[in-house]
Amino acid sequence: MRSFEHLHRVPHSAQNMFDLVADVDRYPEFVPLCRDLRVRSRSEVEGRDVLVADMTVAYKLFRESFTSRVTLDPDQMEILVEYLSGPFRHLENRWKFKPVDAHSCEVDFYLAYEFKSRSLQLLMGSVFETAFSRFADAFERRADEVYGRRKPGTAQVVSR
């Protein structure tokens, strides 16, 4: 199983970053490989919004769709994405947003995945690795567009 974790300080508030990541309907506009996203259902469970969504990813001739459950926890400033069905054996994605001050936060992005098929892993593994490793950066760029550009040199990577 492949996994990525990226802890990054960004010059946007934790609330703004949470709202940006929670707005899954906009993903096809900026998320790498995401060609379509359809929310099947929205509900509230124990004070948290829970979405079930189908995402279609595409690269050249490759096109796959999968279904995930997205749990939005604004009190904890966390978003959990759990795999339900599709070409993966396992897929889990977690976002945590920790305020640093009123205008910046630390974004903790974690992703783990494994394809069901070895041939699909060989075919798409390196493409997915590249795309997944750029997810956090895509969201930061999107935040810069939506909330205003950061000043050069204000963001820093924080390693664990």
Side-chain angles (χ1 to χ4, degrees), residues 2 5 22 27 44 46 52-53 59 62 75 80-81 89 92 109 111 116 129 131 133 152 156:
R2 297 285 302 156
E5 185 160 13
Y27 284 14
E44 187 175 316
E46 298 177 5
V52 174
Y59 178 76
F62 170 82
D75 292 338
L80 176 63
V81 181
R89 178 170 289 132
E92 180 183 347
F109 170 77
L111 177 85
K116 286 180 185 175
E129 285 181 29
S133 69
Q156 68 181 42

Side-chain angles (χ1 to χ4, degrees), residues 13-126:
S13 72
Q15 185 65 58
N16 282 352
M17 292 304 295
F18 178 90
D19 292 345
L20 188 104
V21 175
D23 189 8
V24 299
D25 296 302
R26 308 293 298 254
Y27 284 14
E29 296 175 23
F30 68 96
V31 172
L33 301 183
C34 180
R35 294 299 170 256
D36 191 35
L37 192 135
R38 302 273 185 241
V39 176
R40 284 188 188 186
S41 67
R42 295 177 190 265
S43 60
E44 187 175 316
V45 178
E46 298 177 5
R48 298 179 188 107
D49 288 330
V50 178
L51 317 174
V52 174
D54 296 322
M55 179 186 271
T56 300
V57 295
Y59 178 76
K60 295 186 180 182
L61 298 176
F62 170 82
R63 185 177 193 87
E64 285 285 342
S65 295
F66 60 94
T67 304
S68 298
R69 177 179 35 250
V70 181
T71 303
L72 308 173
D73 188 344
D75 292 338
Q76 297 298 313
M77 298 303 285
E78 294 181 6
I79 297 173
L80 176 63
V81 181
E82 300 168 286
Y83 175 71
L84 297 176
S85 65
F88 296 96
R89 178 170 289 132
H90 174 84
L91 176 68
E92 180 183 347
N93 175 213
R94 181 186 68 239
W95 296 87
K96 294 182 182 181
F97 308 93
K98 181 181 176 187
V100 172
D101 57 37
H103 305 288
S104 64
C105 70
E106 286 184 354
V107 177
D108 184 356
F109 170 77
Y110 170 79
L111 177 85
Y113 75 97
E114 181 178 6
F115 286 101
K116 286 180 185 175
S117 160
R118 181 174 166 86
S119 59
L120 189 57
Q121 173 63 38
L122 292 171
L123 178 66
M124 291 304 301
S126 63

Side-chain angles (χ1 to χ4, degrees), residues 129-142:
E129 285 181 29
T130 301
F132 285 156
S133 69
R134 294 181 181 164
F135 269 26
D137 292 335
F139 282 91
E140 184 178 346
R141 283 191 305 275
R142 179 68 173 184

